[in-house]
Amino acid sequence: NDMAEKTNQLMERVRKEEREKQITERKLLQSQINPHFLYNTLDSIIWMIQSKKYEGAGKMVSMLAKFFRISLSQGKDIIPLQKELEHAVSYLSIQNVRFQDKFTFTVDWDEKLADCLCPKLVIQPLLENAIVHGVSELKETGMIAVTGKETEDAIYITVKDNGNGMPETIIRQLEEIRENGILKEKEHIGIFNIQQRLLLLYGKEYGLTVEHVKPSGTAVTICIPKTKGEKGYESGNYR
């Protein structure tokens, strides 16, 4: 029985190391915010000040402060959905000024979901994708719609745009991450990071799915379990 006890201890240590490895991987994936966004926003603020558009510059600084305040969230990686959506609105508002009204946006969600828990910084990379690779290349005005809905035990957050559509290669790679775990890619694209984080957190039945929108555009949906309260607030490890 001494042997069985040693085997159990070894198994427990392996499980603990695996859990710690997953938390470390998740934090690394979460930390990869595009620095170009900060540089470009600061450039816009400088341009506004030089053009004596002080009110606009003040609003941009305020939105940027809110964006980073929620990004930090006192070190927590799971935050209320309301905060994650406020973060999305800050990002869209800043980019809307930067791209000089190249797109309009709507954010529509059920207030009942306000205190449901959500991994932070999962919506912003989808918005970045929709703007930079979608609506910013259109001749006509782009449209981005963010919606939040619930079922009995899950939350669905969808980012829909009327851009040129997501390449099939990206969609295939997202499904590959779902099937095979971590994608062996040197280039870390934000949307891949989100898929990896969600699958590490919650398992294969959750994560990102992509649909083509007719006549053109993309809808990317985040599916997460419906959880409320303080549970998992620090580590966010529900599995």
Side-chain angles (χ1 to χ4, degrees):
N1 271 354
D2 212 28
M3 190 68 180
E5 181 62 29
K6 280 182 179 168
T7 305
N8 282 340
Q9 284 173 358
L10 184 64
M11 289 291 287
E12 185 51 43
R13 200 166 81 217
V14 168
R15 275 196 291 269
K16 186 170 181 253
E17 282 172 4
E18 183 59 30
R19 278 196 301 273
E20 284 169 358
K21 180 169 166 265
Q22 284 193 354
I23 289 167
T24 304
E25 280 176 352
R26 209 166 60 233
K27 287 195 179 294
L28 277 171
L29 290 170
Q30 180 185 293
S31 68
Q32 294 172 4
I33 292 183
N34 186 349
H36 297 297
F37 167 66
L38 178 58
Y39 305 150
N40 291 334
T41 305
L42 291 173
D43 276 345
S44 296
I45 292 166
I46 291 164
W47 170 81
M48 283 178 168
I49 292 167
Q50 287 170 344
S51 308
K52 296 186 167 52
K53 297 185 177 182
Y54 300 124
E55 194 180 339
K59 280 183 184 168
M60 282 278 271
V61 171
S62 179
M63 288 187 289
L64 192 63
K66 187 173 192 177
F67 176 87
F68 280 105
R69 189 164 61 247
I70 296 171
S71 295
L72 294 168
S73 297
Q74 299 169 319
K76 292 168 181 166
D77 62 352
I78 302 287
I79 61 175
L81 182 60
Q82 179 168 353
K83 288 286 173 201
E84 178 64 11
L85 286 161
E86 281 177 16
H87 187 258
V89 171
S90 298
Y91 179 78
L92 284 167
S93 303
I94 290 167
Q95 293 291 55
N96 203 26
V97 175
R98 266 201 57 227
F99 283 93
Q100 300 192 340
D101 302 320
K102 195 116 177 61
F103 66 91
T104 60
F105 69 87
T106 57
V107 179
D108 182 29
W109 56 288
D110 192 328
E111 294 286 330
K112 287 188 302 198
L113 301 177
D115 59 345
C116 289
L117 297 179
C118 176
K120 75 176 176 188
L121 310 184
V122 288
I123 302 176
Q124 182 268 329
L126 307 188
L127 299 173
E128 185 175 340
N129 211 54
I131 294 166
V132 177
H133 303 295
V135 298
S136 69
E137 295 167 0
L138 294 175
K139 288 188 174 72
E140 70 272 23
T141 302
M143 287 181 290
I144 294 173
V146 181
T147 52
K149 292 178 182 170
E150 64 175 335
T151 58
E152 200 173 323
D153 52 9
I155 294 169
Y156 294 88
I157 305 152
T158 300
V159 173
K160 189 159 92 174
D161 68 70
N162 65 335
N164 296 322
M166 188 178 287
E168 286 295 334
T169 51
I170 302 277
I171 297 170
R172 276 202 305 275
Q173 283 169 311
L174 283 169
E175 282 310 307
E176 199 180 313
I177 295 170
R178 189 188 294 281
E179 292 310 310
N180 305 323
I182 300 296
L183 186 74
K184 301 293 186 285
E185 280 274 323
K186 285 181 183 170
E187 185 186 356
H188 284 288
I189 297 175
I191 197 166
F192 295 159
N193 288 354
I194 300 308
Q195 184 73 309
Q196 288 174 12
R197 275 180 66 204
L198 292 174
L199 296 176
L200 279 169
L201 269 170
Y202 306 120
K204 279 188 181 183
E205 62 270 40
Y206 298 98
L208 296 179
T209 51
V210 181
E211 287 178 274
H212 290 299
V213 178
K214 290 181 180 178
S216 70
T218 307
V220 186
T221 299
I222 298 164
C223 177
I224 57 173
K226 189 157 65 177
T227 320
K228 292 193 178 190
E230 289 291 312
K231 183 189 170 205
Y233 223 74
E234 294 303 325
S235 71
N237 197 1
Y238 297 110
R239 292 179 71 188

